[in-house]
Amino acid sequence: VKRVLPEWLAKPTIISVDLKHLEVPIDGIPELDAALVQKLKNKGFTHFFPVQNQMIPWLINIQKHWDETWLRDACISAPTGSGKTLSYVLPIIQTLKSMPRRRLRALIVLPTKVLAMQVFKVFSYFIKNAFDLKVYLMESANLTLEKEKNMLLRYDTMRGWMSIVDIVVTTPGRLVDHLYYTEGFSLKNLRFLVLDEADSFTNILQNDWLQQVNENLAYNGPAICTLKTLKHWPQRTQRLLFSATLTQDPEKLKFLKLFEPKLFTSIIKRKNIELPIDSNTNEPVRGDFVGKYTTPKELKEYMVLCPEENKPLTFYHLIRTKGLKRVICFVKSKLEVHRLTRLLSRLSELDTNNSPLRVNEISSDVSQKVHTSYIKQFSDGKIDVYVFSCILIIILKLMTFSMFL
């Protein structure tokens, strides 16, 4: 029995996964502000990645209809490292740069503090000395809610509480804390709601935070646009979902309250035949192209079948026989991270035929400063094997490696 997908999932816009043959130069998107183009050039960018070439002009152009009707939501399923972050950072900055009054208009929610920090730095770079916008990173490590409130809001005797930021980058937990306890913190003027690594949110049972966000928006009703809803709520927050995976589970997607969503995806397969990128077929596509992990075209995948109890020994054997360096291994929990690290180190000590294997571990217990130090050591080749808990998979974006397991 073939599974029939909703039309928006079955008829996506297809994004190439080929990152070697880039066609659109940095100044090749006429809709993009010249100051943003210059910032890209200053960073050494020469061409846009395929996902950026598709998303940036689409998002910029659709904003022209903000005052006319509700904007379509978008779901982007593309491999890690394919440039998804800039696909929303640049259009958001360009859209908000001309807003007359400072209000919280863009909320970017990410599953981990590490990723939130990285996205905040990207926003900060493109805004600095170029646009009168303020981006803020919510954090729980150094500031209490009350102190952080002073970074988000100011009180005006005539107008009450007013936002002093345009863009907020945060994790779900800190966001909910402010929604519950911070007087004056409001999402009523929100124009963009971005969920980066969206499946990290929809795959967990605790969706209370997403419900709290929906309830605090100016419009939180059904995603159905009628003359009546347009009369009372002419604008609706646009939701943008970015992920290397995209769930097909209706029970998970319903929490997002998507309005006429448009899917941009990297992987399309039907009967083992790849659908051409410029295909205009109206026939629904059935198969496993969405909701699956997508990988860059340059990444080769292999499978080793072995008994459960032999996994560590097999892993060690592969490293030694293939002469692998800069290897990353993911395991389920912090406890397993420590166990595997100790075991690999011990095997290396007993292996007198090879040079010592430099093994290290990273878990959520390690501070951001230590994370950064470890990542640099790994990138410099001073560590051979890193063992991670799966929740820290996003650090992959910051690292150069030859193999991961």
Side-chain angles (χ1 to χ4, degrees):
V1 178
K2 290 184 178 179
R3 180 179 181 183
V4 179
L5 298 171
E7 184 172 356
W8 70 275
L9 285 172
K11 298 179 180 179
T13 295
I14 305 162
I15 301 171
S16 170
V17 294
D18 187 358
L19 303 184
K20 289 185 177 180
H21 305 93
L22 304 177
E23 300 178 352
V24 181
I26 287 302
D27 53 3
I29 298 180
E31 296 90 346
L32 194 58
D33 188 278
L36 293 174
V37 173
Q38 187 58 51
K39 286 272 190 177
L40 289 167
K41 290 181 178 179
N42 293 344
K43 274 291 186 179
F45 289 92
T46 59
H47 289 76
F48 286 108
F49 283 178
V51 65
Q52 297 164 353
N53 181 40
Q54 291 273 5
M55 284 302 303
I56 292 172
W58 184 83
L59 267 176
I60 292 174
N61 287 325
I62 201 174
Q63 300 305 316
K64 298 174 183 177
H65 306 289
W66 173 256
D67 293 323
E68 302 168 8
T69 186
W70 289 1
L71 304 186
R72 296 182 66 179
D73 296 325
C75 300
I76 298 85
S77 180
T80 295
S82 60
K84 294 190 293 293
T85 302
L86 285 184
S87 298
Y88 64 81
V89 168
L90 300 182
I92 287 176
I93 292 175
Q94 177 149 332
T95 301
L96 302 186
K97 69 184 178 68
S98 58
M99 293 295 166
R101 184 182 301 173
R102 198 180 300 282
R103 289 177 176 172
L104 175 54
R105 290 188 170 95
L107 177 65
I108 293 82
V109 188
L110 306 112
T112 68
K113 295 178 182 178
V114 175
L115 182 54
M117 174 62 75
Q118 294 304 315
V119 171
F120 169 74
K121 288 180 179 178
V122 174
F123 268 109
S124 298
Y125 168 75
F126 284 97
I127 289 174
K128 187 177 181 181
N129 299 327
F131 303 101
D132 184 23
L133 293 172
K134 186 174 181 180
V135 59
Y136 183 76
L137 174 67
M138 285 185 180
E139 55 179 321
S140 56
N142 301 316
L143 295 176
T144 63
L145 285 176
E146 188 61 32
K147 289 183 178 179
E148 198 166 56
K149 177 180 180 179
N150 297 327
M151 309 294 289
L152 294 166
L153 304 165
R154 69 177 178 85
Y155 187 78
D156 183 271
T157 54
M158 299 292 292
R159 298 176 180 175
W161 289 105
M162 300 178 64
S163 176
I164 56 176
V165 299
D166 303 282
I167 304 164
V168 164
V169 182
T170 184
T171 54
R174 192 61 166 180
L175 174 61
V176 171
D177 286 343
H178 279 288
L179 290 174
Y180 270 118
Y181 303 114
T182 301
E183 182 185 0
F185 182 71
S186 172
L187 305 181
K188 300 300 182 184
N189 296 301
L190 204 64
R191 184 158 178 164
F192 298 96
L193 173 59
V194 179
L195 304 185
D196 203 337
E197 300 300 329
D199 259 19
S200 299
F201 303 130
T202 57
N203 280 338
I204 59 175
L205 296 177
Q206 295 82 8
N207 280 302
D208 290 348
W209 75 269
L210 193 52
Q211 182 178 343
Q212 289 297 320
V213 170
N214 284 326
E215 290 178 355
N216 280 273
L217 299 175
Y219 176 77
N220 57 20
I224 302 173
C225 185
T226 66
L227 291 176
K228 181 179 180 180
T229 52
L230 273 178
K231 181 179 179 181
H232 293 88
W233 298 279
Q235 286 93 29
R236 171 189 172 275
T237 302
Q238 185 181 29
R239 288 135 171 99
L240 305 174
L241 280 63
F242 292 80
S243 183
T245 64
L246 183 65
T247 182
Q248 299 177 25
D249 189 341
E251 289 301 310
K252 294 176 180 178
L253 289 172
K254 74 177 184 180
F255 288 103
L256 304 172
K257 293 188 175 183
L258 300 177
F259 172 69
E260 296 185 1
K262 182 175 178 62
L263 171 64
F264 297 82
T265 185
S266 295
I267 301 299
I268 297 285
K269 288 184 180 179
R270 176 171 49 187
K271 297 180 181 179
N272 297 323
I273 299 176
E274 187 166 331
L275 196 66
I277 293 177
D278 58 354
S279 172
N280 293 317
T281 178
N282 289 321
E283 179 185 350
V285 179
R286 297 178 177 87
D288 62 352
F289 63 93
V290 288
K292 303 295 181 183
Y293 287 90
T294 58
T295 54
K297 189 176 181 180
E298 296 78 11
L299 183 64
K300 296 180 180 179
E301 298 179 76
Y302 301 93
M303 178 183 294
V304 178
L305 299 177
C306 66
E308 181 81 19
E309 61 273 15
N310 290 347
K311 279 186 178 181
L313 289 174
T314 304
F315 182 37
Y316 185 81
H317 175 74
L318 283 173
I319 294 172
R320 289 307 196 184
T321 56
K322 301 295 182 181
L324 298 173
K325 301 292 184 181
R326 293 193 179 121
V327 177
I328 295 174
C329 182
F330 294 106
V331 295
K332 294 180 181 179
S333 66
K334 292 187 291 184
L335 180 60
E336 291 183 35
V337 168
H338 188 62
R339 285 177 175 173
L340 182 59
T341 303
R342 291 290 299 275
L343 179 57
L344 291 175
S345 298
R346 183 57 178 162
L347 288 172
S348 176
E349 291 173 5
L350 298 175
D351 184 1
T352 57
N353 295 322
N354 292 288
S355 58
L357 191 68
R358 297 168 296 180
V359 186
N360 209 336
E361 62 183 276
I362 294 183
S363 72
S364 56
D365 289 336
V366 180
S367 69
Q368 173 65 36
K369 184 176 181 180
V370 175
H371 275 169
T372 304
S373 172
Y374 284 175
I375 291 168
K376 187 177 187 307
Q377 291 179 51
F378 184 86
S379 299
D380 291 344
K382 297 178 180 179
I383 300 296
D384 299 315
V385 182
Y386 255 129
V387 185
F388 286 74
S389 57
C390 289
I391 195 170
L392 293 175
I393 191 169
I394 196 60
I395 293 180
L396 264 177
K397 291 187 175 183
L398 311 176
M399 306 178 75
T400 302
F401 56 92
S402 61
M403 174 187 177
F404 70 91
L405 181 70

